[in-house]
Amino acid sequence: MSSAKMIATAVVIVVTILLVMPVANGHLFGRRHFLASQAAAVVPPTAGIVLGATPAFAAAPNEAELLKDLTSARSVLADLPDLVGDQRWDPVRVRLRIPSVAALWNVNDSGNTLRRLARSLGDPEIIEASEDVAQNLRDVDQIVYSNVFSMEGKMAGAGLRTDGGAVGRAGEGGGKYRVEEPQELLRAALRSIDGVLSAAAE
């Protein structure tokens, strides 16, 4: 073999080696490792959000969490009929706005605990219960709010009548506070919630 052919052959061999095992930072790597390292060099750090595992954003509450919220709301509502009976209007309205209770009537549908539970369980009966509970609690809030400004009720509570005569406590002999109606609405809401909790426990 002539020296020219030997030199040409040697050049081909060297080029082949360089293609298969390129040098990077003084180290030899395989072609696949080299290409991967070059690709990584041009990928911005934030791309890991897309290329890596799905980020752990706030997950939707599971059924256990929703039932826990519902149980918490029920424990608050259980005391309200007695508060209404004692004509403690402001404390009733404050408790209706505690987050776990407000989530049953004073939020949009996407934030309603019962509606979210209904979607999670695929149970249309819970949707119906959510509508009943929401309407009952809205009515309670409206009635109690009216009681706050009921002058006739205040006069009756003081033992007076608008015609100057004496009466008993509000609700006894002419008082205008509405007490029994919100109490029954609250009890109806509690029955609906109890039905959902019982069904979920089966």
Side-chain angles (χ1 to χ4, degrees):
M1 179 181 296
S2 66
S3 60
K5 288 184 177 180
M6 291 177 63
I7 292 173
T9 301
V11 170
V12 170
I13 292 172
V14 171
V15 171
T16 301
I17 292 173
L18 291 174
L19 287 173
V20 174
M21 303 179 67
V23 178
N25 295 327
H27 298 283
L28 294 177
F29 296 96
R31 186 201 304 264
R32 184 174 301 171
H33 193 161
F34 175 77
L35 293 174
S37 67
Q38 298 307 301
V42 298
V43 176
T46 54
I49 296 175
V50 177
L51 300 177
T54 302
F57 294 118
N62 58 32
E63 293 169 14
E65 291 173 329
L66 292 171
L67 289 171
K68 181 180 178 180
D69 290 343
L70 186 59
T71 301
S72 174
R74 192 213 179 281
S75 67
V76 175
L77 290 171
D79 295 332
L80 296 196
D82 288 341
L83 289 178
V84 170
D86 292 337
Q87 300 173 19
R88 298 179 61 190
W89 314 128
D90 288 337
V92 170
R93 300 193 74 226
V94 168
R95 284 164 174 74
L96 286 173
R97 284 159 177 78
I98 290 175
S100 62
V101 178
L104 298 177
W105 71 280
N106 200 28
V107 296
N108 56 33
D109 286 349
S110 63
N112 186 291
T113 302
L114 283 170
R115 285 187 172 273
R116 294 163 71 192
L117 186 62
R119 288 194 296 269
S120 178
L121 297 175
D123 189 342
E125 291 187 2
I126 299 180
I127 291 288
E128 183 177 348
S130 74
E131 293 173 352
D132 291 342
V133 170
Q135 186 61 59
N136 288 340
L137 297 183
R138 278 194 293 267
D139 288 347
V140 169
D141 186 63
Q142 183 176 0
I143 292 170
V144 170
Y145 179 77
S146 297
N147 282 343
V148 171
F149 298 100
S150 173
M151 182 56 66
E152 289 182 277
K154 290 177 181 178
M155 293 176 67
L160 301 174
R161 276 200 324 237
T162 54
D163 61 2
V167 298
R169 288 180 57 81
E172 299 175 358
K176 297 300 182 180
Y177 285 137
R178 295 165 67 183
V179 175
E180 293 183 1
E181 185 179 354
Q183 285 179 321
E184 182 50 41
L185 289 169
L186 287 164
R187 294 184 184 112
L190 287 167
R191 287 193 295 270
S192 295
I193 292 171
D194 287 342
V196 172
L197 292 173
S198 297
E202 294 177 355

